Amino acid sequence: MSGIHHGRRAGVLRFTGHFVQMALAMAIGMVVLDPVWRLALPASAERVDVLAIVAATDMSIGMALWMRLRRHGWASIREMSAAMYVPFLLLLVPYWAGGISGSTVMMGGHVLMVPAMLVAMLRRRAEYTHARHGHGSPGRRRWRRVLVRTGVIAVAVLAPPAVVGSVNAVTYLHGVYQPPADVSVPASLDGVDSPVHDPAKPTAVVLVGNRGANAADTLAPYETLAASGAFNLYTVAPKRQRVTLTGGLDLVPDLDFAGLQRRLAGRVADVVVVPAMPDATAASSARLRAWLTHQAQGGALVLSVCQGAEVLAEAGLLDGHDATSHWFRVGGLEDRYPRVRWHRGTRYVDDGDVITTGGVLSGIDGALRVVERLAGRQAASTAATAVGWTHYSPGAPQPLPRSAFGLHDMITGVNLSFRSHRDIGVLLTDGVGELELASVFITYSDVSYIARTVALGVTGTEPVRSRHGLVFVPRQGLFDAKHLDRLIVPGADAARAHDPALDSRVRAELGLSPEYIHGEPGFAIVPVLEDLARTVDVPTAQWRAKQLEFPGQELDLNGPGWPWGATLLPLLYSLAGLAVTATVWLALRARRTRRLAGGRLVPSADRVDVPGPLGLSGPTEQDDQTLVAEAAGALRGEGT
């Protein structure tokens, strides 16, 4: 009976050992092959479906090589490879249909892979529990041990920081455009008309997708166009429901597509502004692109801001045109859309029916060009002064320095993966400027990755109207918010007219002092970037300014330097991984040595050939014979 029990236990150990080895081989495949894919397909990081297939391929290659080295059959290798792909393929179907997010695909695919592997292994359980599976010659065994040990050391060094960093990054990024639990239009807005329409003015619309849009790409050109006073101006979305802008700022669009059509009596808009939108190139956004194509073919002047150029390119509206986009993304766009003549180093490209801009704040220049063309340079100059933009260049775009990702810019990865993310409450007040709002929500979140922003309302979640009539809905009431690290109140009007009694209540109940960040006159983004340098560090503020395409020489950045503590965290995780691996391996060797010395060596024919924890090999057969001889000598009183 004890022999049966021992055999079952040995089989379970062998089965588990196979699973661990294959998991390690999959991890090594991802670590080794991922950089290769990123060089071969630089645009792959922008598409969830491509990332999913690449991840499955990396893991399949690593696992297949290891299984073949272990002399598994091709049928088993094909089944295990299928276990890598099937979970992703199943999840991509609802993703393409718009039912789940990209982060759900990536996280769910990796989780479902585990039971899929177990099913494949249990189907051929004898192959994974056999005591003498695929050992081969002594030379082959020796090379296998070398490969395993090398791979385990690599995984021990790379896996802990990779896992910790990935979990932190995915968790944070999941919340950047996370919609509220209720996306319906508040009941208090029922029956409230959108802005009055003046038939004598051209109509400009800012398009936002129901999955969200970049706050600055949306609000900067909106306020610029509004400040000119030359347009009927609306925000539009496929459906009229709350749309989440960067960092959790919920906008209620003025109109849906059908409402705009009724408002314009079936005509197209004169101007359509397209900001960067998540998943705007996915199949789920086909309706949005079809509407945009209809507007362009009907004669609308289309303005894309930053990565909004990808939406136009995906719809085919840039084919044969000169265009630009954000410096960080334009290389990938060149590869994916070769029919477009892409340009670098300019704030905008005007190519007739289409105007495309560089990154983020270059959207102001693009909007001013629209005002120039439809209302004249004087109206554009007035709008530039109203929003505080001193870089207006009448008639032609200003050149930009040719930016590239440098070593100093790796601060973004450190912030995203290895720094704690603070919670910043942002108090929304009536009359706040659209750029003032955007400056706060994009500066601390988005590519700086340093904080989570939470939109708060003084009177609960009642809608708030901005300076030019946009409607925003707070996520929480001010005094319902818990565990905030800071409370920022954007807006020059709020700074001038704040209520001392409210400030005192905030200090008493929340333990925070309201920070009126726009207390001094000037362009809205400047005090926020300077605050970022002061409260976080200068490299983060410099990176954020570079991404915004804001001239750094206008900033007075003072604060901490490079965050070496967070930067060295991956090294500490690697050392911890090595320490744990070494401890487990030494414990296993000690246990086997005690078993051998006690005369409980498993007979050679039934010897359990299970590698140590994480694939580290235990004693070889020659080691076993030496240990048996030493143990026998010790029992006879020989030796030490």
Side-chain angles (χ1 to χ4, degrees):
M1 196 70 180
S2 61
I4 294 175
H5 176 74
H6 174 76
R8 288 178 177 173
R9 181 184 176 195
V12 171
L13 287 174
R14 282 190 290 271
F15 188 91
T16 304
H18 273 80
F19 184 89
V20 171
Q21 290 173 35
M22 286 190 291
L24 289 172
M26 291 156 53
I28 293 172
M30 292 186 67
V31 170
V32 172
L33 296 176
D34 186 66
V36 178
W37 285 109
R38 291 186 181 275
L39 288 174
L41 300 171
S44 64
E46 302 171 19
R47 297 195 51 161
V48 170
D49 46 5
V50 176
L51 282 174
I53 299 304
V54 165
T57 302
D58 291 345
M59 290 184 285
S60 295
I61 291 173
M63 179 203 60
L65 288 174
W66 177 247
M67 289 183 70
R68 195 58 188 158
L69 189 64
R70 295 276 311 211
R71 303 174 73 89
H72 285 274
W74 287 112
S76 301
I77 293 174
R78 285 194 296 270
E79 290 172 2
M80 292 302 294
S81 296
M84 305 297 100
Y85 285 97
V86 169
F88 285 121
L89 294 175
L90 290 175
L91 290 171
L92 283 174
V93 173
Y95 168 74
W96 286 326
I100 60 176
S101 66
S103 59
T104 300
V105 172
M106 297 306 293
M107 294 180 68
H110 284 86
V111 171
L112 292 175
M113 206 175 287
V114 174
M117 289 175 64
L118 291 174
V119 168
M121 292 178 70
L122 289 171
R123 186 173 181 273
R124 298 178 183 271
R125 64 176 64 88
E127 186 171 330
Y128 296 98
T129 56
H130 195 275
R132 279 290 195 178
H133 177 71
H135 290 292
S137 66
R140 183 186 290 270
R141 290 198 301 272
R142 183 164 54 252
W143 275 108
R144 190 165 65 232
R145 285 194 297 272
V146 171
L147 288 174
V148 170
R149 289 170 180 171
T150 302
V152 169
I153 291 172
V155 171
V157 170
L158 298 175
V163 170
V164 172
S166 298
V167 170
N168 287 341
V170 169
T171 302
Y172 181 85
L173 292 174
H174 185 65
V176 172
Y177 288 105
Q178 183 67 26
D182 180 10
V183 297
S184 63
V185 176
S188 59
L189 296 178
D190 287 345
V192 177
D193 291 333
S194 55
V196 176
H197 188 80
D198 183 351
K201 292 181 178 181
T203 297
V205 298
V206 179
L207 175 65
V208 289
N210 285 130
R211 290 180 176 273
N214 182 278
D217 290 2
T218 302
L219 300 181
Y222 180 92
E223 183 166 3
T224 303
L225 294 172
S228 72
F231 299 90
N232 296 303
L233 185 59
Y234 308 107
T235 51
V236 296
K239 295 173 60 179
R240 191 167 186 252
Q241 63 183 41
R242 300 184 209 185
V243 172
T244 300
L245 305 183
T246 318
L249 178 61
D250 295 330
L251 166 72
V252 178
D254 297 313
L255 299 166
D256 58 15
F257 289 166
L260 178 68
Q261 186 176 25
R262 289 192 298 271
R263 178 66 59 98
L264 299 181
R267 294 178 290 107
V268 301
D270 297 283
V271 179
V272 178
V273 181
V274 183
M277 291 176 274
D279 298 333
T281 60
S284 58
S285 298
R287 182 187 175 199
L288 183 149
R289 293 194 299 274
W291 178 88
L292 181 58
T293 299
H294 172 72
Q295 296 292 310
Q297 292 175 344
L301 172 60
V302 180
L303 167 67
S304 73
V305 181
C306 190
Q307 192 66 0
E310 184 179 23
V311 184
L312 271 60
E314 185 73 12
L317 298 179
L318 294 184
D319 288 353
H321 283 275
D322 293 285
T324 190
S325 186
H326 195 286
W327 63 265
F328 190 70
R329 299 290 190 178
V330 72
L333 295 176
E334 284 178 329
D335 295 332
R336 293 181 59 194
Y337 306 103
R339 295 182 179 180
V340 184
R341 297 185 295 271
W342 296 99
H343 295 260
R344 291 174 168 82
T346 182
R347 285 201 172 271
Y348 68 82
V349 171
D350 184 345
D351 195 27
D353 295 334
V354 178
I355 300 174
T356 53
T357 81
V360 196
L361 295 180
S362 291
I364 298 175
D365 298 275
L368 291 172
R369 179 59 176 162
V370 169
V371 177
E372 277 184 352
R373 286 183 49 174
L374 275 71
R377 290 188 181 180
Q378 183 56 51
S381 179
T382 299
T385 301
V387 299
W389 189 242
T390 60
H391 307 286
Y392 171 49
S393 176
Q398 277 196 347
L400 284 171
R402 289 223 174 182
S403 298
F405 191 87
L407 187 63
H408 212 60
D409 298 330
M410 294 191 69
I411 188 69
T412 184
V414 175
N415 291 348
L416 177 60
S417 300
F418 298 107
R419 296 182 83 169
S420 59
H421 300 126
R422 293 178 286 182
D423 293 313
I424 297 178
V426 183
L427 186 61
L428 310 186
T429 56
D430 285 320
V432 62
E434 291 82 9
L435 261 168
E436 292 170 338
L437 269 180
S439 69
V440 174
F441 278 94
I442 64 168
T443 298
Y444 302 101
S445 60
D446 208 13
V447 298
S448 62
Y449 304 134
I450 204 63
R452 301 178 185 88
T453 45
V454 183
L456 306 174
V458 177
T459 57
T461 57
E462 284 299 307
V464 171
R465 285 197 175 269
S466 68
R467 181 177 298 160
H468 296 100
L470 289 180
V471 177
F472 299 95
V473 181
R475 291 279 177 100
Q476 298 182 47
L478 173 59
F479 296 102
D480 297 325
K482 307 296 181 185
H483 311 299
L484 295 177
D485 297 293
R486 299 177 66 186
L487 177 63
I488 292 178
V489 188
D493 291 347
R496 284 192 297 268
H498 66 92
D499 182 0
L502 179 65
D503 294 352
S504 297
R505 184 183 171 192
V506 169
R507 283 190 286 268
E509 295 190 25
L510 301 180
L512 300 170
S513 294
E515 302 174 46
Y516 295 90
I517 204 159
H518 294 113
E520 299 294 330
F523 186 59
I525 199 72
V526 171
V528 188
L529 286 172
E530 292 176 349
D531 176 78
L532 185 65
R534 186 170 56 254
T535 60
V536 180
D537 56 59
V538 171
T540 297
Q542 291 172 332
W543 163 249
R544 180 68 270 200
K546 181 177 179 179
Q547 280 280 324
L548 292 170
E549 293 187 350
F550 185 78
Q553 63 270 21
E554 297 187 13
L555 300 170
D556 182 19
L557 301 180
N558 296 292
W562 190 270
W564 288 108
T567 305
L568 293 174
L569 269 180
L571 176 60
L572 294 178
Y573 290 134
S574 294
L575 293 175
L578 282 173
V580 170
T581 301
T583 300
V584 172
W585 182 74
L586 290 172
L588 181 66
R589 283 192 68 94
R591 179 184 176 189
R592 288 183 176 177
T593 301
R594 287 194 300 270
R595 288 181 61 194
L596 293 172
R600 293 192 298 273
L601 178 63
V602 178
S604 178
D606 297 321
R607 182 174 178 270
V608 180
D609 185 23
V610 183
L614 301 176
L616 284 172
S617 298
T620 65
E621 292 181 12
Q622 291 180 344
D623 295 334
D624 291 347
Q625 294 169 3
T626 301
L627 288 169
V628 170
E630 292 176 354
L635 291 173
R636 293 195 303 267
E638 300 172 4
T640 57

